[in-house]
Amino acid sequence: MFDLDGTLLPMVQDEFVKYYMPLLAKTYMNAGVPVEPKSFIGAVWSGYEAMVKNDGSRTNREAFWSYMEPILPLSPEESEQIALDFYENEFNRAVCTTKPTPLSDQIVKQAKERGFETYLATNPVFPRCATLNRIRWAGLDAEDFKVITTYETCTYCKPNPEYYRGILESFSLKPEECLMVGNDVGEDLTARSLGVQTYLVTDTMENKKNLPVETDYMGTLEELKGFIGEL
């Protein structure tokens, strides 16, 4: 299981978010929606928190737009369509905040060649179209993954272990036969609570809460490639 942002798509998360959020606000303003950029961005962050706190009773998509419904003077369907248009188009400008490397595609393909199934376990807080674009930025093939987690279908988010349990149960996977590869100490290493081994990628490691680093393996993407080659 591979994380995307900061792992297969190297980036500094804060730089990425600070770049694309104002573009999203501007898209709503250009569509004639009376929003003030700063308060709108704050509302989007609160909608994100609603997804993170999702208890499995609805999709993350439903959790987000239910929160945004009283804030925007549109139906959730109309509001989401503006967002989808953004993620299909203007969002692609944010690739400038990322640092794609050919190592990522090589690592995924190497894993597949060695007989492993590969899953894109990216935090499901984005629509599928936004995630497919970020996969493209990273130079990856979406077809290489058995699943790509997005907000349309998932009912939990990282760091909730239930997010990982959902992948395991959906594909009848044994935790002890899985490896979660990610760069975020707080979000990706929680898979260990289910018995999944973890590999912490250190190139753009995130640990905003200064949590103790408890992982089975760690190293750079270059070292990860060598590690998978020896499995």
Side-chain angles (χ1 to χ4, degrees):
M1 294 185 284
F2 291 99
D3 175 56
L4 180 59
D5 299 339
T7 303
L8 294 181
L9 179 59
M11 67 165 70
V12 175
Q13 193 82 18
D14 285 347
E15 294 177 3
F16 168 62
V17 171
K18 287 178 182 177
Y19 184 90
Y20 93 78
M21 281 281 201
L23 292 179
L24 177 60
K26 186 177 180 180
T27 297
Y28 276 84
M29 294 168 66
N30 289 344
V33 183
V35 298
E36 191 280 316
K38 188 175 181 179
S39 60
F40 173 80
I41 291 171
V44 172
W45 272 116
S46 295
Y48 164 82
E49 288 297 327
M51 291 189 283
V52 171
K53 295 175 181 176
N54 197 1
D55 61 2
S57 61
R58 54 184 175 174
T59 65
N60 294 338
R61 173 192 184 190
E62 291 167 336
F64 179 81
W65 291 111
S66 292
Y67 178 84
M68 296 295 289
E69 184 173 7
I71 295 171
L72 296 173
L74 301 169
S75 69
E77 293 76 18
E78 291 171 318
S79 296
E80 184 185 40
Q81 190 55 55
I82 294 173
L84 294 178
D85 289 343
F86 165 77
Y87 284 118
E88 288 280 14
N89 298 290
E90 282 293 290
F91 180 61
N92 286 306
R93 291 170 55 185
V95 68
C96 70
T97 65
T98 69
K99 297 179 180 179
T101 168
L103 278 173
S104 297
D105 188 52
Q106 293 167 15
I107 287 167
V108 174
K109 284 181 165 51
Q110 179 185 45
K112 291 191 67 179
E113 288 167 0
R114 294 191 62 78
F116 296 103
E117 293 179 341
T118 52
Y119 301 76
L120 195 67
T122 179
N123 209 7
V125 295
F126 282 102
R128 185 172 178 83
C129 62
T131 302
L132 289 176
N133 273 330
R134 295 186 343 273
I135 289 170
R136 180 174 54 80
W137 299 352
L140 302 168
D141 294 323
E143 295 76 18
D144 281 339
F145 302 102
K146 286 201 69 171
V147 73
I148 297 168
T149 55
T150 64
Y151 88 160
E152 288 95 342
T153 56
C154 290
T155 57
Y156 293 102
C157 289
K158 301 176 184 180
N160 193 332
E162 293 303 314
Y163 161 74
Y164 296 102
R165 193 188 308 277
I167 297 175
L168 298 174
E169 291 182 350
S170 294
F171 294 92
S172 300
L173 303 174
K174 296 179 180 179
E176 64 273 15
E177 295 180 354
C178 297
L179 178 71
M180 176 63 203
V181 179
N183 73 307
D184 193 302
V185 173
E187 293 190 350
D188 299 316
L189 302 189
T190 54
R192 296 184 83 236
S193 66
L194 301 179
V196 174
Q197 294 188 71
T198 56
Y199 190 109
L200 180 64
V201 175
T202 57
D203 300 75
T204 50
M205 187 178 76
E206 298 264 1
N207 189 8
K208 292 180 180 178
K209 296 182 179 179
N210 292 314
L211 298 170
V213 178
E214 298 176 355
T215 185
D216 300 280
Y217 312 97
M218 63 189 299
T220 63
L221 280 176
E222 186 72 56
E223 290 169 329
L224 173 62
K225 183 181 178 184
F227 174 82
I228 290 177
E230 295 173 359
L231 286 177

